Structure formats: structure tokens, C-alpha cells
Amino acid sequence: MTTVRDSSVGDAASLRSAMVGELRGEAITSEAVTAAFTAVPRHLFAVGEPLRAAYEANRALVIKRTTDGEAISSLSAAHIQAVMLEQAAVEPGMRVLEVGSGGYNAALLQELVGPSGKVVSVDIDPEIVERARGCLAEAGYDRVEVVLADAENGVPHGAPYDRIVVTAGAWDIPPAWVEQLAPAGRIVVPLRLKGLTRSIAFDRTSSGLQSSSYRLCGFVPMQGDGAGTEQRVPLSDGADLWVEGEAGFDIEALREAVRSAQLERWSGAAFDLPDELELFLMTSAPGVVLLRASTEAAEQGLFALSATRGVPALISGGSFAYRIKRPNEATGGFESGVLAYGPEAEDVAARYVDLLRRWASDHRRRGAARIQYIPRTPATTTTTGSSRSSGLIVKRHGVVEVAWQ
Ligand SMILES: C[S@@+](CC[C@H](N)C(=O)[O-])C[C@H]1O[C@@H](n2cnc3c(N)ncnc32)[C@H](O)[C@@H]1O
């Protein structure tokens, strides 16, 4: 197969066709999405970038950073755009709201809804809105309406929407999105779940929203009234715990634990599908938060490599444990295990190993989680537990419930 990286063809049409070839079969599964990616000239939305960069399937291009260097707007990688458009299952004639503009994804949506459909794209940043309007006009997609607003309130004048496609990392689902969704509508949203992000396709139900699929992804953060409330709690030099809301644990005792001897235990269970296992661990026991260590901390031997990508850590009192892996042919390639620290290291390691075994025996496959979003009402406020209950993640406007089948 010719890929964009090794392609010797230089013109935009050939590069585009090579990109679509790479995406086909994995990210792109339908003829409609193939046709959209084939039609839209992506390089016209990647102003100032080399032609080849525009057509690398897995490459996001940063459009704007904060003064601290944090990316706040980007042309998302074609791969995740294709995945989300397949999740959205957009049909001709639909009305679609895109949250987060850039122009390219809106043009793909315009191709999917066709001449009888309508695409509204909203962005909070005036510079991005101007840029998106210019790129869309240049590429011939000026039927897309680009609106300057905080998407926390949706875009009421274009509602109801058959699809809402969110292209910024959302910490919650604002009531306006649910209110502005058509009765059989679908929201595809990169939702933050205790430090993880999954693109979830949610369909409307009588009590809220129910997932039909979810996929691993990463996005620039939502700004404005819906911005997240995650905080990093330093555990040691080069390592943090990512916490939603109040920490609720004894951080001083945990800092002491890091300095103690570590305990290593192995599960005898298979390790693969890391994104599925990670979501299971984060949502299947109380007291699990994301631990992230720097590469330097791992190189100094203070933390295992797994912690550099972010790993679920199970906390109990002043002790904690996190997942590691090692090669093991007997478990199909790799075996999962844990490193545990603190006075109750043995106990917390045993509980973590139990979770690893449960996942491997009962849930080790793609798509085993069912994710529900229940908007907050007086009834849900009293019946749902705290954010430390397993499977329930309490948000500002509702509760996310993750159940494993
Ligand atoms: C990844 S970019 C969008 C990419 C774009 N859809 C494309 O075609 O590639 C995310 C955008 O979300 C916007 N954004 C962040 N918070 C927002 C909010 N509360 N309301 C509207 N837009 C927001 C940012 O300004 C940024 O431009």
C-alpha cells in the first residue's frame, strides 16, 4: 500500500487519495465517509503547512496555542475525524451542529448532509471563526454557517439537530446540547472521564443518553463556561495524580509511600487492548485516579514506563498501586501486574490484581462498556453516589455511568 509518508506523488489529489486509502478499512468503513474525504481539499484548511503534512492521516496540525504553549485549536488528525464521522452516521438532509470550528470537518459534514442538509459550526474564538469562514469560502463550502459563541449554550437558532459532533475535549454535556438534539438524535463527543478521553456516540433515551460506541481519542480542551475542573496533585518530583473535584485522599501519606520500598505482583492474566483495560480500571473500583509520571522520572527508575502514558492508580489510605506489564507467551504476549507502595501495599496490590484478572476473564474485548449519561434532576441528585463510587462519575450537569458487560 502507498502511504502518504513514503508516497513519491506530490500533488494534492494523489496525496488525498493515498490518505483515504490509509484510512479505509480501519477508520473509514462507509462509502459516504470515503466520498467526503475524497471530495474535500484538506490542504486548503492547513494554510501555511507543507502539502504533505496536510495529508498525513495521523497528524494533527496546531492552529493556535496559549502564551504558555498549550494547544487550544488544531486541525484534528484525519484519522480521528473519520472515526467520529463514522460514529455519527450522518445522513443526507440532516441538520448538524459542530462544536469547535476549523472548517475542514464542517466541510466533510456538508458533503455528508448534501444540498438538502444544514451544517452549523460554533467556536468560542473570534480568530478561529474568521479563519474557518475564510477557508470554507476558499474551498467552496460557504453554505456552512460558522457562529461565534460559547458552545455551552449550543446554537438555539439552528435547532433541533439530528447530530451534534463535538471536536473539543468536553468535561460535561451541557443541558443545551440535549435540549437542542432531535428526538432520535445522536451526540458524538470526546468526553473526559477521570482524566481519560473517549469519543462517545450517545443516542437519546427517555432518561438521558446511552452510548452506541466509544473510541480512544485526544482533543484540545473545552474553554468557556464548560471548561473542566480536573486538577493535578503532585505526588513526587515528576509525577502527578489527576483528580476531578476534591482529592479526598491523604496526599502526604501517599508522598511518604512513594519513598518506601515497592512491591511487585503479577496477575497471570493477559495484557492487551490497553485503552479498554484502562477504562475498566478507572471505572470499576472506588479510589482509582490517573497517575502520570514524566519520562525523566521513569528513566531514573522512580516509576515504571506505564506511568508515563498515564495509568490508573488504586489508592487505599496511605498506600497505592498501579499497573505494569511484562512479556509472557503463556498469556498471549504480555501479562499484567502491579507495583504497590505504602504500609498496606500487599492488600492494595491484591485488590488491583483481582481487577486485572476480572477484566481478562470477563470483559477483555472491544466495546464491552455501556456508558450512560443521566442529566441531573432532583431525583438523580439523591440517587447517585459520590464520584468515588465505582462506575459513577459525577459531573456538573449530570452523571456518567459506566457498566461492563
Ligand atoms: C480541535 S479544534 C476544532 C477542529 C475543527 N473541528 C476541525 O475541523 O479540524 C477545537 C476548537 O474548539 C474550540 N472551542 C473550545 N471551547 C469551546 C467552546 N466552549 N465553545 C465553542 N468552541 C470551543 C476551540 O477554540 C478550537 O478551535
Side-chain angles (χ1 to χ4, degrees), residues 42 45 63-64 72-77 81 98-107 121-125 128 147 149-152 165-169 177 219-227:
R42 183 172 162 95
F45 300 86
I63 291 169
K64 189 169 178 177
I72 51 167
S73 188
S74 61
L75 169 53
S76 304
Q81 290 176 317
E98 181 196 42
V99 172
S101 309
Y104 179 61
N105 195 53
S121 180
V122 58
D123 204 286
I124 198 169
D125 187 324
I128 300 300
V147 176
D150 184 341
E152 180 73 5
V165 179
V166 183
T167 65
W177 298 357
F219 269 89
V220 299
M222 190 69 73
Q223 305 166 47
D225 287 350

Side-chain angles (χ1 to χ4, degrees), residues 262-275:
Q262 68 194 33
L263 194 79
E264 187 180 291
R265 292 288 179 266
W266 293 97
S267 68
F271 171 84
D272 58 5
L273 302 177
D275 53 312

